[in-house]
Amino acid sequence: TRKESSAASDVYKRQAIKVVDKSTNKPIEAIVNLKAISETKTAFEGVGMCDERGIFQLKLGANSDIELTVSFPEYLPIHKTFDFISGDEKNKKKVHKKYKLTKLVVGEYIQLKRIFFEEGEHKLLAQSYEQLNTMVTLMNNHPKMKIEIAGHTDNSGSSKYNQQLSQKRAEAVKKYLVKKDIKKSRIKPKGYGGQKPLISGNDAASKKQNRRVEFKVLKL
């Protein structure tokens, strides 16, 4: 019916995303790679571009596993995986949102906020893979790009131990990228221990912010 058709159209509108520059909030005509898998089969796979307003209509079907990559030259791409269930408000909100891309600048550090290790260890946790796959996409999009991976700890423990731990963590990130066919020569791991805290303080919240992994563009 006309009413049902209108409702379906509204659902599709609510499945749009908008892509903007993180610093300027200006729209970006970004490239969107989308894969939707339903009942273990790929229901849809394709590439599209946002319009001049930075908007892209996803038009997803029900009960799909979604893999989404948003990219644009000289920007850090965003890679997301999630379940989409038509009629589920929680999942709709995950899809209908604004994505802010960070522009790459040679010599500047960008924090990788979703890199996780076991406490006091250098083994990567599985929750890190989505963020690391974003780095793989980035380096594949920029084949001449070289980066430094910077590991940081908080100020707990000895400075020697922290430096060694941060170095091993940076090397673990490099190892993952190399396994994804990124050349070793393009990645320089560097551990800084607790030498470069983001904020001062010995409370738990401050320590958590200072434990991090960043990357710096050495060459584009």
Side-chain angles (χ1 to χ4, degrees), residues 151-170:
H152 300 271
T153 65
D154 58 35
N155 58 5
S156 301
S158 71
S159 58
K160 181 179 180 180
Y161 171 81
N162 288 335
Q163 194 283 323
Q164 291 175 341
L165 178 60
S166 62
Q167 180 68 33
K168 288 178 180 179
R169 287 179 168 179

Side-chain angles (χ1 to χ4, degrees), residues 4 16 41 44-45 55 64 69 87 100 121-123 172 189 191 194:
E4 290 172 337
K41 295 181 180 180
F44 175 81
E45 184 172 9
I55 293 175
S64 299
T69 302
K100 298 179 180 180
E121 301 291 338
H122 61 274
K123 182 180 179 180

